Amino acid sequence: MQKLFSSCYELDQKCYEKYGLTEDILMEHAARGMAEYIQYHFEKGSSVMIVSGVGNNGADGIVLARQLEGAYRVRLAVPFGVKSPMAERQLQRAEALGVSIVKELYDSDVIVDALFGAGLSRELNKETQYILHQLNSFKGHKIACDIPTGVGENGNLMPMAFHADVTLTMGAYKESLYLDESKDVIGKIIRVDLGVSSKKYEANSRSFLLEEGDLKLPIRTRKNSHKGTFGHAAVFCGEKEGAGIIAGMASVSFGTGLTTLVVHEKINPPAYLMHATVVPDNASALAIGMGLGGYFESEFLQNHVIHSHLPVVLDADAFLSRELLSILEQKDREIVITPHPKEFTVMWKILTGEVLSVEEVQSRRFEMVRMFNAKYPHVTLLLKGANMLIVQEEQLYVNPLGSTKLSKGGSGDVLSGLIVSLLAQGYTAIEAAINASMALVMAATHYRGASYAMLPTDIIENLSSLEGLQQV
């Protein structure tokens, strides 16, 4: 788990004021991090095309050109000249060393975008857009310095952006790198240290980036146990019964001792799933909303869900129900909600009367989850997306490991099943949301079939391999 920051300005200032480091020193290390990446992946003599902007992000690129000069065939383009004193100084140094300053852009083994860094708040002019179009047309390996040009200060994607294979971000991980709409242009994200370790560079943070190693599986170590030891999940199975069945299958496969589908009529689930017309007395967690429709009457929901004390997962059709959303007011209950952006807009309108578009939610995802958290701090919200955002009590977690394989009906039902499974086994709401989201994406990532072919049942089958992955 890594710390995540909205800005690195204060962190840089600490380096200057507390550690006595200069802007020049930080810049040398930023460039050194990029140089080491290139040296590791590309043989000496490879061609490198660096395009630098007018400010300090451009200066990072200029320093990189100087550091690689001699061992690599370096071309440096500074299409708009330089403006910051540091950029001017670095350009003088590069010229003194004999770095080739060019006006034309050339396809090369490595293409480095150092035009604009984090904090870009204005639209790109036509000349910059043309440069990006050229760079994107090249076949070389594309590296973004700090953040791709065309990704705004909050992570919003502009009409034209550099399409990086890898983004080498400076100092610390930034929230702006994890907005869904920019995921395809940012590529792989690697942090570069700036002359001090990340532990010394970073400050306290309430935002965190999840990594595969953060997954804590419900591995059974207790020998004196029985099925009741590992909880009893009750999954409400509504009009579209397949959704509830998938959630129930995921629940069983992730460790619950018992899983019961709550139904009105007889169904034919897998033999290992029980079904009943009421919530069993020994149930330890509930999941409701998946394919629910209007299947259960208000009195039934009041008796078995709303007035229950059990931990609960709300998903899908639950966000259409003012009655079920009243659960969010219950402060002494473990509650997890898992809306996708469209469901979030519907829920928010019911809760507040405020109308949001899906586009607004997607362009302001971090702001939206914090806005919800301010109103319901005790509720664990998991906002689905390419980068899942999980928040409770002002602590925010980003799961960046999503896969296009999950873009298929039923994946969300699996997630709900995983969460209720962990709740039933005694995990807290935030623990259940984090670990279920990690299990979902890791099971999908390690599916070996074609990306378009994965079924929800394939995710469930792959859950059994997660323990082995952690031991590798």
Side-chain angles (χ1 to χ4, degrees):
M1 189 179 300
Q2 301 288 340
K3 292 179 180 178
L4 198 60
F5 298 88
S6 57
S7 168
C8 287
Y9 175 78
E10 292 183 358
L11 307 182
D12 286 347
Q13 290 299 121
K14 181 174 69 173
C15 288
Y16 306 146
E17 297 169 6
K18 185 175 181 179
Y19 303 142
L21 301 179
T22 64
E23 189 176 46
D24 207 342
I25 291 174
L26 265 62
M27 197 166 285
E28 289 292 327
H29 284 282
R32 174 49 51 195
M34 292 190 288
E36 288 175 352
Y37 175 87
I38 293 170
Q39 290 162 352
Y40 181 82
H41 290 92
F42 295 89
E43 295 180 354
K44 289 183 178 180
S46 299
S47 57
V48 181
M49 178 77 236
I50 303 168
V51 185
S52 288
V54 300
N56 283 358
N57 191 256
D60 289 344
I62 296 170
V63 177
L64 173 65
R66 169 168 53 80
Q67 291 182 358
L68 294 178
E69 176 64 26
Y72 291 82
R73 291 181 289 124
V74 178
R75 294 189 182 99
L76 172 65
V78 191
F80 308 114
V82 294
K83 292 183 179 178
S84 76
M86 185 57 66
E88 290 177 352
R89 184 182 307 168
Q90 299 297 2
L91 185 59
Q92 291 170 0
R93 292 170 176 172
E95 289 173 333
L97 193 68
V99 172
S100 176
I101 313 295
V102 298
K103 294 185 178 180
E104 297 290 325
L105 303 183
Y106 299 88
D107 198 355
S108 303
D109 297 315
V110 181
I111 312 294
V112 180
D113 162 32
L115 281 167
F116 297 100
L120 180 64
S121 57
R122 59 179 174 80
E123 291 294 321
L124 301 174
N125 60 30
K126 290 185 178 180
E127 188 175 357
T128 303
Q129 291 185 40
Y130 178 71
I131 291 171
L132 295 178
H133 179 75
Q134 281 186 285
L135 296 179
N136 288 337
S137 71
F138 293 159
K139 296 180 180 179
H141 185 75
K142 298 179 178 65
I143 299 172
C145 173
D146 203 30
I147 193 168
T149 298
V151 177
E153 61 181 342
N154 295 319
N156 301 105
L157 189 62
M158 298 181 181
M160 176 65 72
F162 182 73
H163 288 230
D165 295 303
V166 61
T167 293
L168 301 178
T169 194
M170 305 308 167
Y173 293 104
K174 305 168 186 68
E175 290 182 0
S176 56
L177 295 170
Y178 296 97
L179 200 66
D180 281 8
E181 64 184 49
S182 301
K183 195 174 183 76
D184 285 319
V185 307
I186 286 173
K188 184 179 181 181
I189 300 168
I190 299 175
R191 179 183 59 199
V192 172
D193 288 341
L194 297 178
V196 294
S197 73
S198 59
K199 289 184 179 180
K200 293 292 185 180
Y201 178 79
E202 294 172 346
N204 292 331
S205 177
R206 289 180 174 271
S207 300
F208 302 92
L209 185 67
L210 297 172
E211 303 171 294
E212 285 198 1
D214 295 318
L215 174 61
K216 294 180 176 60
L217 294 168
I219 298 170
R220 300 181 173 189
T221 57
R222 182 174 171 180
K223 296 179 180 179
N224 179 24
S225 62
H226 53 82
K227 60 189 177 184
T229 305
F230 302 105
H232 187 166
V235 177
F236 283 72
C237 199
E239 288 181 359
K240 298 176 181 178
E241 64 184 49
I245 292 173
I246 289 171
M249 293 169 63
S251 173
V252 171
S253 296
F254 211 42
T256 46
L258 294 166
T259 297
T260 294
L261 301 179
V262 180
V263 299
H264 276 334
E265 301 172 356
K266 183 177 177 61
I267 59 173
N268 293 300
Y272 53 79
L273 288 176
M274 301 181 294
H275 52 92
T277 56
V278 295
V279 174
D281 291 339
N282 63 343
S284 52
L286 310 175
I288 188 167
M290 304 77 67
L292 185 67
Y295 193 71
F296 295 99
E297 296 177 354
S298 176
E299 182 179 358
F300 188 90
L301 295 177
Q302 290 286 338
N303 290 337
H304 293 280
V305 183
I306 296 167
H307 293 156
S308 171
H309 67 283
L310 295 177
V312 63
V313 184
L314 302 181
D315 187 29
D317 289 348
F319 304 121
L320 307 175
S321 168
R322 186 179 297 275
E323 190 170 30
L324 288 174
L325 288 175
S326 70
I327 291 172
L328 303 186
E329 301 290 346
Q330 299 173 7
K331 296 183 179 180
D332 296 325
R333 192 173 184 182
E334 296 285 343
I335 304 167
V336 182
I337 65 171
T338 60
H340 58 55
K342 174 62 176 176
E343 291 165 345
F344 185 93
T345 67
V346 174
M347 174 186 69
W348 193 249
K349 183 179 180 182
I350 292 173
L351 294 174
T352 69
E354 183 182 359
V355 177
L356 299 170
S357 67
V358 173
E359 291 72 24
E360 283 180 282
V361 173
Q362 285 297 82
S363 66
R364 299 161 53 199
R365 284 173 64 86
F366 284 90
E367 180 184 346
M368 289 294 165
V369 298
R370 289 186 170 116
M371 183 171 67
F372 176 90
N373 183 243
K375 187 173 179 63
Y376 300 101
H378 59 287
V379 175
T380 297
L381 164 65
L382 187 158
L383 181 62
K384 294 172 182 172
N387 296 297
M388 284 186 269
L389 303 186
I390 305 166
V391 65
Q392 185 202 50
E393 300 288 0
E394 299 183 2
Q395 297 279 106
L396 187 149
Y397 302 86
V398 179
N399 180 342
L401 304 174
S403 166
T404 56
K405 299 170 187 176
L406 291 166
S407 300
K408 188 173 289 188
S411 298
D413 303 321
V414 174
L415 177 62
S416 293
L418 299 178
I419 295 172
V420 75
S421 177
L422 295 180
L423 288 176
Q425 294 174 73
Y427 283 58
T428 65
I430 190 67
E431 290 171 341
I434 288 172
N435 287 288
S437 77
M438 294 296 294
L440 178 79
V441 298
M442 289 174 64
T445 298
H446 294 283
Y447 170 70
R448 298 306 177 193
S451 61
Y452 55 81
M454 189 181 74
L455 300 174
T457 48
D458 294 321
I459 305 172
I460 295 169
E461 288 178 10
N462 262 18
L463 292 171
S464 63
S465 67
L466 295 180
E467 184 179 357
L469 292 173
Q470 288 196 320
Q471 294 174 351
V472 172

